Amino acid sequence: MRINSKTILAGMALGALLLTGCNDAEYDTLSNQAYILQTNTNANSSLKLTVGAEVATTTVNVRLSDVANVESRLVYDTAVVNEYNRLNETPYVSLPQESFSLSSEETTIEAGASVSTPITLTVPPYSEALKASGKKYAIGFRLENTSGNASVLPSGSKIVYILDQVVIQ
């Protein structure tokens, strides 16, 4: 078995290249990032909310990685549901905005705190038209900061509430 000298040189060059990897990479520290608490900073997050004969409610909070004074807005966004459907191969349809309510779209994290006061999402029982449609509904929200020195953490900035309809026979 004869080894070619070019092969040996190429192997030595590759080894040298691997041993002299980059040691001076600079990474920015992520600080003061706002995200939707219920996502646990996980992208593509969803929660189920059961809709039946009674009003269904849940809360949404904004959290910061550091304590600060920040104002944020929770924005209803049908594109969030569309993106969720694409990533998960699901057939959800955005619930019309007039079919649910938020106690407020705006929330504030006071100085010295890291969690906002809760925003309450309320979904009344479906109308007869929504029930008869046979569609599976969801509500998508994205987070926007309106003031303060925090930025929005992309992986925790969107959430989808999947509405699980109770069928009564």
Side-chain angles (χ1 to χ4, degrees):
M1 177 166 98
R2 191 167 169 198
I3 299 177
N4 187 343
S5 63
K6 289 182 181 178
T7 306
I8 292 173
L9 285 174
M12 288 175 33
L14 180 62
L17 183 64
L18 291 174
L19 291 174
T20 60
C22 179
N23 290 329
D24 61 349
E26 293 182 22
Y27 298 103
D28 291 333
T29 303
L30 294 177
S31 62
N32 217 17
Q33 301 281 304
Y35 60 94
I36 299 171
L37 177 66
Q38 287 75 10
T39 66
N40 295 318
T41 70
N42 295 322
N44 197 30
S45 291
S46 66
L47 293 171
K48 284 198 175 193
L49 183 60
T50 303
V51 178
E54 302 293 322
V55 173
T57 61
T58 190
T59 57
V60 185
N61 297 80
V62 177
R63 182 171 175 85
L64 286 175
S65 56
D66 297 325
V67 292
N69 187 359
V70 174
E71 292 180 8
S72 300
R73 177 183 310 129
L74 197 60
V75 179
Y76 169 74
D77 192 346
T78 59
V80 173
V81 173
N82 295 338
E83 179 183 0
Y84 182 85
N85 285 337
R86 183 182 56 78
L87 293 172
N88 297 287
E89 299 181 7
T90 53
Y92 296 110
V93 174
S94 289
L95 187 69
Q97 193 166 7
E98 62 274 2
S99 299
F100 68 90
S101 64
L102 292 172
S103 59
S104 173
E105 290 181 358
E106 306 278 334
T107 188
T108 301
I109 299 175
E110 300 294 337
S114 61
V115 179
S116 72
T117 55
I119 296 173
T120 302
L121 168 63
T122 303
V123 182
Y126 284 167
S127 66
E128 290 303 318
L130 289 175
K131 287 181 195 176
S133 74
K135 296 176 182 174
K136 295 181 179 184
Y137 292 99
I139 305 170
F141 295 108
R142 67 181 160 77
L143 182 65
E144 290 181 352
N145 277 351
T146 55
S147 72
N149 62 347
S151 57
V152 175
L153 182 67
S155 63
S157 66
K158 299 173 187 169
I159 191 163
V160 173
Y161 285 92
I162 297 171
L163 304 176
D164 191 18
Q165 182 182 358
V166 174
V167 178
I168 300 172
Q169 298 195 21

